[in-house]
Amino acid sequence: MRPPILDPLFAPVSTLPGIGPKIAKLVSGLVGGQPDRDATVSDLLFHIPHNLIDRRHQPGIAYSESGDIVTLDVTIGRHQAPPRNSKAPYKIPAHDETGEISFVFFHPRRDWLEKTFPEGERRIVSGKVEWFNDRPQMVHPDYSLKPEEAAEMPSIEPVYPLTAGLASKTLQKAMRAALERVPNLPEWLNDAHLRQTGWPDFRDALQTLHMPKERQDMEPQSIYMQRLAYDELLASQLALAMVRANMRLLGGTARKPDGALQQSVIDALPFHLTDSQSNAIREINEDLAEPTRMLRLLQGDVGSGKTVVALAALAQVIETGAQGGLMAPTEILARQHYASMTPLCEKAGIRLALMTGKDSQKQRRLLQERLDAGEVDLVVGTHALFQGSVSFKNLGMVVVDEQHRFGVHQRLALSGKGQGVDVLVMTATPIPRTLVLTCFGDMDVSRLTEKPAGRKPIRTVSVSLDRLDEIISRVGAAISEGQKVYWVCPLVEESEKIDLAAVEDRHRVLEHALRQRISLVHGRMGADEKDSAMSAFKNGETKVLVATTVIEVGVDVPDATIIVIEHAERFGLAQLHQLRGRVGRGDKPSSCVLLYKGPLGETAGARLNIMRETNDGFLIAEEDLKLRGGGEILGTRQSGTPGFRIARADEHADLMEVARDDSRLILEMDPELKSERGVALRCLLYLFGRDAAIRLLRAG
Ligand code: ADP
Ligand code: MG
């Protein structure tokens, strides 16, 4: 049960002054309450201001800069009221010793204006100054107070992210009331840590962030932000560690076959494993031999050879008589895995099946019968695999490819289809360590750090679009030497038609300039059309493929050696890296031409530089994180780090590591959270919505 001390914070926002049912809905949408109920006071409190207005700024009229919010001490002049039916604004001139300004009002309420800005009197007026034709004006000032009332104006005002229909004054008022409800909570951080960092307590930190005294108070590295970010990270790390401890406790199976099946898969490969691959397989075998469940993340850049590692791992489990499942994010990828695994499985004697959403009812029924009878050892499929109707005779291991596209729920749904199912998660998008921790918690990680032998590095250059002709003639020279070229044009969703025209245009221009047939692939084409264009390029009938980013995933033409990416400045780093990964797959040196349209913005310039400097996907992902913040790497649009309200993967990476170690230590010393600190930590878990983990304690 929730500790009663938290009750005031879990009351709905509609209990706050000024928040009726309608406003409560708006507020809930803004601060992220649950879909079926109003946001709580605590939800509101974690809605931290993103800016502040400093009304202490009093430069005088003449020295006020356009766009600044200033406070002026002025004498009000004669009102310039427009005729009654005119749409013209109502203007009130005023002056101080430095100059003159106009206060401007649309749809004026005249009697109110006469009272608030009485002619000839002194007023303290605050608002945003704008200069027009060398004259300053202030449209709808925020405050106009008598000099003796000036103290009523807050000198520093927080500015909150808002939503349409919600006035900032309403939110500020509710927030002040919410802050008063924050109780003195028991401290969940240990004394030494607090002394060492100089952090304030939770309530202090929260109060300061909502009522900052200085701009620095709100910066990610201020002690107030650090304190709250750490609290949030600790809650998340602690919950993940509890879930993990619980999964382990639920028991796995010690799988210690003699490894003959795994060996025969490896022997069937037409190449030698890289050291990274061998290491990963060894780490997995060790996990499997333990009586606890495996939870391991296999990270490897595009083309590093994760599939083989997965198959070897599955073979180890299959040899013990259990079944395996491999889940891919798309049907194309599922089919690709199925096709590449078929010959290996045949040689090793593993009975392989494919399951996708396109299967007929009859196919599905037959497959289900074989799964139930244990006549299938390994099934490769899409999310169709974890539908409720699918069952296994004895599921022992699940491999999930491209994990970040699946939610935790789906992963749990699949691993729930067997007893103590071991889980291996593979990701091709290199997720930086900091994000691994946020999203997966304390998972074990194996990394494939090297590419298979014989791969040549890719030379990357960036060239201005002004030099298009030069690039086209170089492409011409390359294809006359027998090379193959991808030419990628960007697709911006909002203007698909224009982009389509651009791709078709580029196709025409290149056919004309190079005097030969060129393949074209874009998203609007039918599957057959696409296939035939692709295969013409693959088998060499055409030497150039003009494409939109549809080629990003799943295309394999090993003898393509050049990729030109047009308008490279419009692509994100991760996408550029994925695209570049289409070349450099054979034994010939390859190159990547980033064709940009100048002038380049700062971020775009930085991206192209990083691309030129490195081929290392992990490094690129880390840089990407710095440039964009965590959210976008995982494909979510909101800014900030997914699942977090305060902590940010880019700014608080160091805190994440500390929180992880801290939570480990906590569970080692007090696995039931029963000590004094443990009880305080339960409060923390509730506060940040991580209390589901507490239920596991009770179950265990
Ligand atoms: P990814 O890690 O991107 O999923 P894949 O598993 O699809 O990579 O492997 C990419 C290609 O490299 C495949 O054609 C695979 O057969 C090949 N490959 C994997 N391991 C090796 C190796 N050790 N030596 C040579 N080629 C390999
Ligand atoms: Mg793969």
Side-chain angles (χ1 to χ4, degrees):
M1 243 210 348
R2 189 174 64 216
I5 189 170
L6 295 176
D7 287 349
L9 297 179
F10 282 83
V13 283
S14 51
T15 59
L16 293 169
I19 301 201
K22 232 170 101 190
I23 299 287
K25 281 238 155 52
L26 289 177
V27 171
S28 299
L30 183 66
V31 306
Q34 304 293 314
D36 52 339
R37 60 166 176 81
D38 282 348
T40 62
V41 171
S42 68
D43 291 325
L44 182 67
L45 286 167
F46 290 133
H47 191 62
I48 300 289
H50 62 159
N51 205 346
L52 56 79
I53 295 172
D54 189 345
R55 298 203 189 273
R56 295 171 306 184
H57 188 42
Q58 307 191 8
I61 293 174
Y63 306 105
S64 299
E65 290 189 28
S66 197
D68 276 4
I69 290 183
V70 299
T71 299
L72 303 171
D73 183 343
V74 296
T75 306
I76 307 293
R78 167 150 306 170
H79 289 206
Q80 298 163 2
R84 285 274 164 191
N85 290 324
S86 155
K87 290 246 165 66
Y90 190 109
K91 291 192 177 171
I92 302 176
H95 68 270
D96 64 8
E97 63 271 29
T98 70
E100 289 183 9
I101 189 168
S102 283
F103 303 132
V104 178
F105 300 85
F106 299 93
H107 314 293
R109 271 174 36 221
R110 291 170 191 246
D111 46 343
W112 179 79
L113 285 177
E114 276 155 23
K115 221 171 57 200
T116 317
F117 297 88
E119 287 177 12
E121 289 191 26
R122 222 180 113 207
R123 282 295 179 269
I124 307 298
V125 179
S126 185
K128 188 198 243 175
V129 176
E130 268 147 339
W131 286 75
F132 275 111
N133 302 329
D134 293 333
R135 288 154 173 271
Q137 63 174 44
M138 188 183 283
V139 178
H140 292 205
D142 303 329
Y143 292 91
S144 170
L145 300 168
K146 292 183 190 147
E148 61 270 25
E149 291 169 346
E152 286 172 20
M153 186 173 72
S155 54
I156 295 205
E157 233 175 89
V159 180
Y160 293 96
L162 288 174
T163 183
L166 184 63
S168 102
K169 284 197 175 152
T170 311
L171 195 62
Q172 286 183 24
K173 189 167 156 209
M175 201 63 90
R176 276 196 299 275
L179 281 170
E180 275 165 26
R181 295 200 191 168
V182 182
N184 246 329
L185 296 171
E187 183 55 76
W188 46 77
L189 298 188
N190 74 36
D191 286 346
H193 192 191
L194 284 178
R195 265 199 312 275
Q196 183 202 333
T197 53
W199 290 345
D201 67 24
F202 174 79
R203 192 166 118 183
D204 228 28
L206 199 58
Q207 247 151 10
T208 305
L209 287 178
H210 286 289
M211 298 191 283
K213 292 191 187 62
E214 300 296 338
R215 194 167 289 278
Q216 293 93 291
D217 293 349
M218 307 168 58
E219 279 167 8
Q221 298 306 331
S222 81
I223 52 173
Y224 311 101
M225 277 300 263
Q226 292 233 334
R227 162 79 212 221
L228 285 197
Y230 188 78
D231 284 343
E232 187 173 35
L233 292 169
L234 182 62
S236 127
Q237 288 301 304
L238 187 59
L240 284 167
M242 286 159 78
V243 169
R244 178 185 157 95
N246 188 259
M247 280 185 94
R248 299 219 155 181
L249 227 82
L250 286 181
T253 310
R255 305 183 202 276
K256 298 183 203 168
D258 68 12
L261 194 61
Q262 183 173 77
Q263 195 55 49
S264 60
V265 167
I266 293 170
D267 290 343
L269 295 171
F271 45 74
H272 291 289
L273 294 176
T274 64
D275 288 347
S276 286
Q277 285 171 320
S278 303
N279 280 340
I281 292 171
R282 188 173 39 74
E283 286 167 345
I284 291 167
N285 287 347
E286 283 167 11
D287 282 358
L288 293 175
E290 296 287 323
T292 49
R293 293 171 69 164
M294 173 171 83
L295 270 178
R296 183 170 284 275
L297 184 67
L298 177 63
Q299 283 192 304
D301 205 351
V302 203
S304 58
K306 293 182 291 294
T307 322
V308 168
V309 175
L311 189 58
L314 287 159
Q316 189 78 349
V317 172
I318 290 165
E319 191 182 336
T320 67
Q323 292 164 302
L326 188 149
M327 188 159 71
T330 66
E331 192 182 325
I332 293 178
L333 283 176
R335 289 187 189 283
Q336 199 169 290
H337 282 315
Y338 179 73
S340 69
M341 287 179 172
T342 298
L344 299 171
C345 287
E346 267 169 13
K347 279 198 198 146
I350 293 171
R351 295 163 298 177
L352 179 68
L354 175 70
M355 182 188 292
T356 75
K358 295 240 173 85
D359 300 345
S360 70
Q361 295 230 328
K362 185 169 168 217
Q363 279 172 317
R364 181 63 62 85
R365 203 184 60 241
L366 287 176
L367 177 53
Q368 185 57 60
E369 280 169 18
R370 290 169 61 217
L371 282 172
D372 286 336
E375 291 165 13
V376 169
D377 301 313
L378 173 58
V379 54
V380 173
T382 56
H383 52 279
L385 272 183
F386 58 78
Q387 281 167 358
S389 58
V390 179
S391 58
F392 293 81
K393 180 169 184 232
N394 177 17
L395 182 63
M397 177 176 192
V398 170
V399 179
V400 184
D401 197 4
E402 305 277 355
Q403 163 69 19
H404 60 286
R405 304 193 189 200
F406 291 110
V408 175
H409 294 297
Q410 291 155 319
R411 186 170 11 129
L412 291 178
L414 192 50
S415 57
K417 286 185 184 292
Q419 278 278 310
V421 175
D422 291 301
V423 178
L424 179 69
V425 172
M426 306 198 288
T427 173
T429 305
I431 306 176
R433 171 156 186 78
T434 45
L435 270 191
V436 170
L437 283 173
T438 23
C439 302
F440 303 106
D442 207 3
M443 253 188 159
D444 297 307
V445 178
S446 296
R447 276 187 168 186
L448 301 183
T449 51
E450 53 191 333
K451 293 275 168 76
R455 302 253 170 98
K456 293 275 193 309
I458 306 167
R459 203 172 79 93
T460 301
V461 294
S462 60
V463 177
S464 165
L465 204 50
D466 300 337
R467 288 164 58 195
L468 179 65
D469 290 344
E470 190 185 321
I471 297 299
I472 293 179
S473 66
R474 277 210 243 163
V475 164
I479 56 182
S480 64
E481 283 169 14
Q483 301 196 50
K484 284 186 186 172
V485 181
Y486 289 107
W487 191 294
V488 183
C489 302
L491 193 64
V492 184
E493 260 169 59
E494 300 93 73
S495 57
E496 201 177 323
K497 266 202 197 121
I498 300 171
D499 290 314
L500 208 56
V503 178
E504 286 171 342
D505 237 32
R506 181 60 69 231
H507 180 244
R508 246 190 319 274
V509 167
L510 288 175
E511 275 199 333
H512 182 76
L514 301 172
R515 279 183 239 100
Q516 57 188 285
R517 192 162 77 82
I518 283 175
S519 295
L520 172 65
V521 179
H522 58 70
R524 283 290 186 82
M525 291 163 77
D528 290 349
E529 251 183 309
K530 249 190 255 178
D531 278 353
S532 71
M534 281 304 311
S535 57
F537 180 61
K538 197 160 181 164
N539 63 33
E541 287 164 49
T542 57
K543 304 282 188 238
V544 180
L545 175 74
V546 175
T548 54
T549 49
V550 290
I551 66 159
E552 193 181 335
V553 182
V555 178
D556 192 27
V557 183
D559 57 346
T561 48
I562 298 179
I563 184 163
V564 179
I565 305 174
E566 199 171 322
H567 281 298
E569 78 281 358
R570 294 197 202 158
F571 291 96
L573 261 182
Q575 211 179 5
L576 287 173
H577 181 64
Q578 292 279 331
L579 284 169
R580 180 168 61 182
R582 295 309 110 203
V583 298
R585 307 190 140 221
D587 47 10
K588 297 215 184 61
S590 297
S591 45
C592 169
V593 181
L594 304 171
L595 215 47
Y596 65 87
K597 186 158 178 0
L600 284 176
E602 198 178 323
T603 312
R607 279 199 297 251
L608 299 192
N609 280 341
I610 293 161
M611 285 295 292
R612 279 208 314 261
E613 279 160 19
T614 181
N615 268 307
D616 179 336
F618 285 110
L619 209 66
I620 287 176
E622 298 275 3
E623 293 296 328
D624 203 17
L625 189 64
K626 280 187 210 147
L627 289 177
R628 309 202 290 178
E632 290 181 53
I633 288 191
L634 296 183
T636 53
R637 276 179 200 207
Q638 79 261 45
S639 58
T641 299
F644 289 81
R645 302 197 243 202
I646 293 162
R648 289 175 39 182
D650 48 352
E651 293 283 356
H652 301 122
D654 49 334
L655 295 183
M656 174 81 73
E657 307 259 351
V658 183
R660 186 203 44 177
D661 293 345
D662 202 2
S663 57
R664 251 193 212 159
L665 213 64
I666 290 166
L667 287 187
E668 254 169 47
M669 316 228 322
D670 181 17
E672 303 278 312
L673 298 184
K674 283 196 167 134
S675 66
E676 195 184 332
R677 185 177 180 205
V679 171
L681 283 161
R682 288 176 183 235
C683 277
L684 174 71
L685 290 169
Y686 275 100
L687 266 178
F688 286 97
R690 302 296 205 278
D691 46 293
I694 295 175
R695 255 166 271 140
L696 296 175
L697 289 182
R698 232 163 279 133

